[in-house]
Amino acid sequence: MRKQTNRVQMDTKYRICLGGFLSKKEREQLSSFRVSRQEDGTIVLNPQVEIPAREHWIHSNPAALASLKRGIEDAKNQRIVDVDIDFSAFLDDEDKKHV
């Protein structure tokens, strides 16, 4: 990433706009910033990406995450098999909201 330096002004509510510093991809993916202040007064913003709590398990389970990535890669390369099975019985109420 290239180093970018610009001057920004706070508005009347002491807010600053970071849109000019972020790419379109970053604006779509980032959800927040962790703010810290160094001893010399420098304010540091660390970009954060948050995931829903119900999806956290996959990132905490390396074997499951690797399996998921293999499945995504298989689908991209059309290495899939069509099955005639109704998986709706395995959905919980939260999942059914997203179907």
Side-chain angles (χ1 to χ4, degrees):
M1 177 179 277
R2 72 191 194 303
K3 183 176 180 179
Q4 188 176 353
T5 305
N6 285 344
R7 183 173 187 271
V8 294
Q9 291 281 136
M10 291 186 291
D11 66 13
T12 58
K13 294 184 178 184
Y14 308 106
R15 298 175 296 197
I16 59 170
C17 180
L18 300 176
F21 286 90
L22 304 173
S23 68
K24 181 180 182 199
K25 183 177 180 180
E26 289 170 322
R27 288 191 304 266
E28 292 170 352
Q29 292 180 344
L30 298 176
S31 56
S32 61
F33 290 84
R34 177 170 286 140
V35 181
S36 60
R37 182 182 292 262
Q38 298 177 345
E39 289 183 18
D40 67 357
T42 301
I43 296 171
V44 178
L45 301 174
N46 291 301
Q48 304 291 302
V49 176
E50 297 175 47
I51 58 170
R54 65 189 303 260
E55 296 175 15
H56 181 262
W57 73 272
I58 194 78
H59 299 281
S60 302
N61 184 328
L65 184 58
S67 178
L68 175 64
K69 288 180 179 181
R70 281 192 310 273
I72 291 170
E73 198 60 33
D74 285 344
K76 281 182 187 176
N77 293 309
Q78 299 180 351
R79 293 187 303 256
I80 57 176
V81 177
D82 194 15
V83 293
D84 188 21
I85 300 172
D86 181 8
F87 288 99
S88 63
F90 299 101
L91 299 176
D92 61 23
D93 290 337
E94 184 64 26
D95 290 327
K96 289 177 184 175
K97 294 178 188 176
H98 302 285
V99 177

